[in-house]
C-alpha cells in the first residue's frame, strides 16, 4: 500500500543516538508518522506500539522478529534495516508472511570496500613494512632493494566472494592497473565477464594472488573455508585481508605463517573479536590488526540512515525498493 | 621527421638495470636503432654516440643536457624522459633549439595518487590510530567513542596544487563521498568546474579541510608556502599528507603540532630526506613516515618505460606526442 506510513524504530539503546539523533528523526517525521522507539518487543508498551505499525526501522542490536512478534504487528508490511546483515534479526516467518525486507547493505559495503582498496594499495606497495624499516633503522632505506616486487602495477588481487562488498571492491579497483580474479561458487561466467574479472577456483586464487581479500558471507558453508591447507597455498610475501568474518579463515594457520615472516595480514575481524592479551597477532610487524572498523562508523552512519530514508520514501511513493532482500537469496545471504 | 629513429639511453648506471633490463630494451629495438647506453656525456665514446642520435631516452640520474651537449648532438630532435621531473636534466637551450621534450610524468603520477588516496581513506577513518590503540591496549577498543568523527563520508579534502598528480588524486576521489577543494593559483574557475572541485584560497583550505594533501611543484615560489602561520591554521585532528617536496612545508612547525597531538601527518619526503637519528618524526605515533616510496618503484617502473615506448612509437609514426612539455609551461613545471 502506498501513502504515509506509521513507523517505529527498533535497535539497541546505545545505537539509537549515534544513528538516529533528533535531527535525523525529524527527517523521517516529514515522510512518516513516528510511533516510537523500541529496544525490546516483549513489554505491553512495545506491543501497543507494534499493534499499529506499518514499517519497522531496525538497527544494530534490534530485538529479533519472529512469529510471536509478527502476531503482535498485524499491519507490519516492511522492515527497513539500517545496517548490512539483516538476517540475524528475523526468522523466515517474516518473508513467509510477505513482509518486505530491505537493508542498507549496499551503503554499508562502501566503507568496507574503501578500507579494503586502501589496504590493497598499501600491501602491493609494501608501505607499512617500508615505514617500519625506516622507523627502526632511522637511516637510509632502499625500499626497492628490500622489496623489489613492490608496486601497484601488474599485480594480481584475489577477491574471495562476489558479495555486495566484493563487487564494490572490484568496482573501485577498475581505476587501478591490477589484475583481479574472483572466487565465488554462485558467480556465473556471464556475471564475471560483466564485472570485468576472471573467475577462478579458490585454490588457484590463493596460489597466484599477491593480495587475497575475503568478502564471503559468514555461513555454515564458509566456516574454515580458507583452512590450513589453503593458507599453505598462499605465495611467500602475499597479503591476506579479512574484513568479513574471522571464522572463514584458519586463524592459527595464518598466524603461524605470519609469525614465520612468510605472509602479511590485514585483519579487521580476528577470532575472538578481542584477542586475548599477548596474542602474537597484536605484536607481529607483519600484521595490521584493526578493531572492527572497516564497516560504517562515525560519519558513515549518516550514509546508512540516509539509505533507509530513501527506501522509506520509495515505499511511501509506491516505487520499487532499491535494496529489497529477495526471498530466494535468503539462504546465501549473511 | 618521421621514420625509424636512432636512440640512446642516458641515466645513472644503477637505474639502467631496474628500468631497462634486456627484455625491455628488446622492445625498444623493435621500434628504433639502439646506439648505446650513456651515463655521462663528456667522454669521446659518449660524444661519438651523441653525434648521430635522434632521440635520447633519459632516466633518473641522467647527465645534464646543456648547450655544450646539444652542440655534440646535431641530429637530436627529442628527449623522452622515463620519470616525472625532466627539468633538472636540461637547460632552456634545449627547448630554444626546438628539441621536443616529453616525460613520463602522467604515468609517474599514478602511484603517487594511489598512495595519496589510500592515505586519505586511512586518515578519515582513523585506521592507524585505532590500530595503534588496539595494539597498545590489547583489549576492547571503541573506535567510535575515541574517534567520533571518523569516516569517509562528508569530509573535506584539500588538494594543494592541481598538478598532474593533484588532478589524478581528484580523479580517483570521484568514487568517494568526499568534498574536494583545491588551491592552485594557476587554476581557472572553468578548470575547477571541469575537475568537479571548488577552488579556494590556501588559508581557507587549511582552516576547513579534514585532510590536506600537497601536490605543488617544488619551485622558489612554493618554498615554505605552508609556513608556520599556515600550519597553525589547520584544524585540530586534521591530517597533512606530503608526497611532493618537503621544502614546501615548515617541517618544524608541523612537527611541533604533531608532537602536541594536534595534527596527524603522512610524510614521504621529509627534509632532509633521511632525517637525523632521534628526530621526533621517527617516533611520533601521529606520523606515518615513509622512505620516499610514493612515486614509481618496483613493478611500477614498467609503467614508466611503457609510457616512453608508447611515446617513441608516436614520434616514429609522426603522431602527436601525448606528454610533450609545452615551452610556455616550463617555468611552472617541476
Amino acid at each position: 500500500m502506498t501513502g504515509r506510513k506509521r513507523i517505529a524504530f527498533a535497535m539497541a539503546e546505545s545505537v539509537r543516538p549515534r544513528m538516529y539523533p533528533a535531527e535525523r528523526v525529524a527527517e523521517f517525521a516529514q515522510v512518516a508518522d513516528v510511533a516510537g522507539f523500541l529496544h525490546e518487543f516483549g513489554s505491553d508498551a512495545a506491543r501497543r506500539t507494534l499493534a499499529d505499525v506499518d514499517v519497522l526501522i531496525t538497527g544494530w542490536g534490534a530485538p529479533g522478529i519472529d512469529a510471536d512478534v509478527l502476531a503482535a504487528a498485524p499491519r507490519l508490511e516492511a522492515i527497513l534495516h539500517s545496517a548490512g546483515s539483516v538476517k540475524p534479526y528475523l526468522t523466515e516467518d517474516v518473508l513467509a508472511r510477505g513482509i518486505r525486507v530491505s537493508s542498507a547493505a549496499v551503503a554499508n559495503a562502501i566503507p568496507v570496500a574503501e578500507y579494503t582498496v586502501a589496504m590493497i594499495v598499501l600491501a602491493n606497495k609494501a608501505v607499512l613494512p617500508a615505514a617500519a624499516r625506516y622507523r627502526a633503522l632511522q637511516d637510509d632505506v632502499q625500499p626497492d632493494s628490500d622489496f623489489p616486487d613492490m608496486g601497484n602495477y601488474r599485480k594480481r588481487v584475489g577477491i574471495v566472494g562476489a558479495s555486495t562488498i566484493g563487487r564494490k571492491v572490484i568496482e573501485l579497483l577498475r581505476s587501478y592497473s591490477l589484475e583481479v580474479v574472483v572466487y565465488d561458487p554462485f558467480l556465473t561466467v556471464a556475471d564475471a565477464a560483466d564485472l570485468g574479472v576472471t573467475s577462478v577456483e579458490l585454490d588457484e586464487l590463493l596460489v597466484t594472488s599477491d593480495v587475497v581479500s575475503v568478502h564471503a558471507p559468514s555461513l555454515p558453508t564458509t566456516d574454515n573455508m580458507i583452512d590450513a591447507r589453503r593458507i599453505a597455498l598462499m605465495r611467500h610475501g602475499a597479503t591476506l585481508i579479512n574484513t568479513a568474518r574471522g571464522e572463514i579463515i584458519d586463524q592459527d594457520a595464518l598466524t603461524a605463517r605470519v609469525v614465520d615472516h612468510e605472509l602479511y595480514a590485514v585483519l579487521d575481524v580476528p577470532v575472538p573479536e578481542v584477542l586475548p592479551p599477548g596474542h602474537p597477532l597484536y605484536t607481529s610487524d607483519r600484521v595490521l590488526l584493526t578493531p572492527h572498523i572497516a564497516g560504517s562508523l562515525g560519519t558513515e552512519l549518516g550514509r546508512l540512515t540516509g539509505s533507509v530514508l530513501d527506501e522509506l520514501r520509495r515505499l511511501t511513493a509506491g516505487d520499487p525498493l532499491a535494496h529489497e532482500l529477495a526471498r530466494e537469496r535468503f539462504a546465501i545471504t549473511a
Side-chain angles (χ1 to χ4, degrees), chain A:
Chain A
M1 284 203 305
T2 63
R4 196 168 174 92
K5 306 294 180 187
R6 190 165 175 82
I7 66 174
F9 295 83
M11 62 201 69
E13 284 191 273
S14 62
V15 170
R16 178 184 153 190
R18 294 192 293 136
M19 295 208 75
Y20 289 99
E23 61 273 21
R24 187 51 121 182
V25 173
E27 292 180 84
F28 279 77
Q30 289 177 6
V31 180
D33 298 324
V34 177
F37 295 87
L38 306 175
H39 52 90
E40 48 76 29
F41 290 146
S43 68
D44 288 349
R47 295 286 164 147
R48 278 194 297 276
T49 301
L50 285 173
D52 60 357
V53 146
D54 303 309
V55 179
L56 273 176
I57 311 284
T58 54
W60 288 304
I65 302 169
D66 55 15
D68 179 55
V69 173
L70 289 178
R75 290 177 50 176
L76 187 65
E77 60 174 281
I79 296 166
L80 308 182
H81 188 57
S82 320
S85 301
V86 61
K87 213 166 139 181
Y89 302 105
L90 44 85
T91 62
E92 212 164 346
D93 298 315
V94 171
L95 296 170
R97 203 180 96 182
I99 291 171
R100 304 170 72 183
V101 176
S102 165
S103 84
V106 170
N108 197 47
I110 293 172
V112 182
E114 291 171 347
Y115 171 105
T116 301
V117 170
M119 293 304 174
I120 291 168
V121 168
L122 262 59
N124 279 326
K125 191 80 174 184
V127 169
L128 296 181
R133 190 158 309 189
Y134 190 25
R135 179 175 279 213
L137 288 181
Q138 303 202 1
D139 199 351
D140 197 12
V141 169
Q142 297 295 333
D144 48 350
S145 302
D146 295 336
F147 309 101
D149 296 328
M150 71 194 294
N152 282 285
Y153 186 69
R154 301 202 173 163
K155 291 288 181 70
R156 176 176 280 203
V157 177
I159 302 294
V160 180
S163 57
T164 305
I165 294 170
R167 285 164 191 258
K168 182 70 190 170
V169 172
I170 291 165
E171 182 189 322
L172 285 172
L173 287 179
R174 283 197 197 111
S175 302
Y176 296 79
S177 307
L178 299 168
E179 183 199 6
V180 180
V181 297
V182 176
Y183 166 71
D184 188 322
F186 298 100
L187 190 70
T188 65
V189 172
D191 285 342
D194 283 351
L195 289 170
V197 298
T198 305
S199 187
V200 297
E201 287 301 317
L202 182 53
D203 284 8
E204 183 187 343
L205 182 150
L206 293 164
V207 166
T208 61
S209 293
D210 298 290
V211 182
V212 174
S213 190
V214 181
H215 303 288
S218 182
L219 296 169
T221 51
T222 63
D223 264 14
N224 204 34
M225 182 170 69
I226 301 182
D227 57 12
R229 181 188 68 79
R230 285 182 163 141
I231 290 287
L233 295 178
M234 288 185 68
R235 60 203 298 178
H236 196 279
T239 301
L240 183 89
I241 302 173
N242 191 7
T243 55
R245 290 294 179 272
E247 289 77 5
I248 296 171
I249 289 171
D250 185 322
Q251 184 169 288
D252 290 341
L254 175 67
T255 302
R257 286 202 72 192
V258 164
V259 168
D260 286 348
H261 283 200
E262 292 173 359
L263 296 180
Y264 295 95
V266 178
L267 301 176
D268 192 48
V269 285
V271 181
E273 201 169 296
V274 179
L275 291 168
H279 194 286
L281 289 175
Y282 279 125
T283 46
S284 167
D285 61 359
R286 298 252 165 163
V287 176
L288 182 66
L289 184 68
T290 56
H292 206 162
I293 60 174
S296 302
L297 282 173
T299 67
E300 291 156 353
L301 301 180
R303 183 191 276 126
L304 300 182
T305 56
S307 170
V308 171
L309 182 57
D310 289 344
E311 202 73 324
L312 179 62
R313 288 197 177 104
R314 288 184 202 102
L315 185 74
T316 301
D319 292 335
L321 296 182
H323 307 295
E324 189 163 2
L325 181 63
R327 193 170 172 187
E328 65 274 17
R329 300 258 323 156
F330 192 78
I332 61 166
T333 300

